[in-house]
Amino acid sequence: MNFFGKKRTSAPSAPRNGSSPGDPTSTIVTLRESLKTLDKREEHVQKKADALLDEAKKHLKAKDKKKAAHSLKRKKMYDAQIDKIQGSKMTLESQIMSLESSVQNMETFKAMKAGQSAMKQVRKNIDVDNVDDMMDEIREEMETAAEISDAIGRPVDDVGYDEDELLSELNDLEEAELEETLLSDPTPTPSGLDMPDAPRGGLADDEKAKDEDEDDKALRELEASLAM
């Protein structure tokens, strides 16, 4: 019974690190702390179960089966508690993994959203029509610059002359120089060339040699027929 007025309700504890209760990061931290607490609890209960097993073995050696059975029953109670703790740990680990994946997905989404916003901001003053117009202007400026360059590089005195007349005059000049060169330095007639000797005797000697060959041939054929 409260003699000093209404019972004061306890104020809700403020979240750690100034984060909201539904913040995934703070929730993951809380789950990990709970997991560490369960690890310590499991280690403590496991020691209790191991001690009861040793106790049961001692009673069994002392031939006191009743106390040994009692120790084993108590050990089984601790084993059941260990199983519950391990189940709770599995649940916490599953939640941690799911939350970490969700946080990662959220951070990825934020990054993608920021990239999308940046692209929109960059393209705010740029569209296809503006780019096409700019490229057309660039081409026009380049063509104008090329025309200006050609005009500047064209000689100013290249007017009033006929190309055919210039070529004809150039040919006449070349012929005059060639004629002057031939007259001032005539080329000597080549001499001392080895020419083949003219055949001696003429056609009569050839006919005579031919007749002699035919006579010798007929004589050889006659001698051969007599020897048979």
Side-chain angles (χ1 to χ4, degrees):
M1 183 176 181
N2 185 6
F3 297 98
F4 301 99
K6 293 183 179 181
K7 182 179 180 181
R8 291 183 298 177
T9 58
S10 58
S13 58
R16 298 181 180 180
N17 301 327
S19 57
S20 60
D23 181 53
T25 303
S26 62
T27 303
I28 290 173
V29 172
T30 303
L31 290 173
R32 289 192 179 280
E33 291 177 353
S34 299
L35 189 60
K36 290 180 181 179
T37 302
L38 289 177
D39 286 335
K40 294 179 180 179
R41 177 62 181 170
E42 181 182 3
E43 183 180 357
H44 175 71
V45 174
Q46 186 64 53
K47 288 180 180 180
K48 291 281 189 179
D50 294 340
L52 287 172
L53 181 60
D54 294 335
E55 182 180 298
K57 290 179 180 179
K58 291 179 181 179
H59 290 313
L60 191 59
K61 288 181 180 179
K63 306 299 181 181
D64 193 345
K65 292 184 178 181
K66 185 177 181 180
K67 289 183 179 180
H70 181 69
S71 297
L72 285 176
K73 287 180 180 180
R74 292 179 61 195
K75 177 185 177 301
K76 288 185 179 294
M77 292 173 58
Y78 284 109
D79 289 340
Q81 190 173 0
I82 291 173
D83 291 339
K84 292 180 181 179
I85 293 173
Q86 290 178 347
S88 299
K89 287 173 59 179
M90 287 289 294
T91 302
L92 290 177
E93 289 175 352
S94 177
Q95 287 181 324
I96 291 172
M97 291 178 63
S98 297
L99 279 173
E100 287 178 342
S101 178
S102 299
V103 170
Q104 183 62 46
N105 291 336
M106 181 179 63
E107 295 297 329
T108 303
F109 174 77
K110 288 181 180 179
M112 294 173 67
K113 189 68 174 177
Q116 180 189 15
S117 300
M119 291 178 66
K120 285 184 177 180
Q121 185 66 26
V122 170
R123 290 189 297 102
K124 183 177 292 185
N125 297 322
I126 300 176
D127 58 13
V128 177
D129 294 334
N130 291 336
V131 174
D132 289 340
D133 294 340
M134 181 187 67
M135 295 304 297
D136 291 339
E137 292 177 0
I138 291 175
R139 280 191 289 269
E140 291 177 0
E141 292 296 330
M142 292 179 66
E143 291 175 357
T144 303
E147 293 176 357
I148 293 173
S149 178
D150 292 341
I152 292 175
R154 187 181 306 120
V156 296
D157 58 347
D158 189 16
V159 292
Y161 296 101
D162 187 4
E163 290 290 335
D164 295 335
E165 183 180 352
L166 290 175
L167 290 175
S168 178
E169 185 177 350
L170 181 62
N171 291 331
D172 293 340
L173 181 61
E174 289 179 348
E175 291 178 359
E177 289 183 354
L178 179 60
E179 184 178 356
E180 183 180 355
T181 302
L182 292 175
L183 292 176
S184 62
D185 187 14
T187 304
T189 303
S191 61
L193 297 177
D194 293 334
M195 300 296 292
D197 295 335
R200 299 176 181 179
L203 296 176
D205 293 339
D206 292 340
E207 292 292 336
K208 183 179 180 181
K210 183 177 181 182
D211 293 339
E212 290 179 355
D213 291 339
E214 291 179 355
D215 292 342
D216 291 339
K217 181 179 179 181
L219 182 60
R220 286 194 299 273
E221 290 178 354
L222 180 59
E223 290 177 349
S225 62
L226 293 175
M228 293 178 61

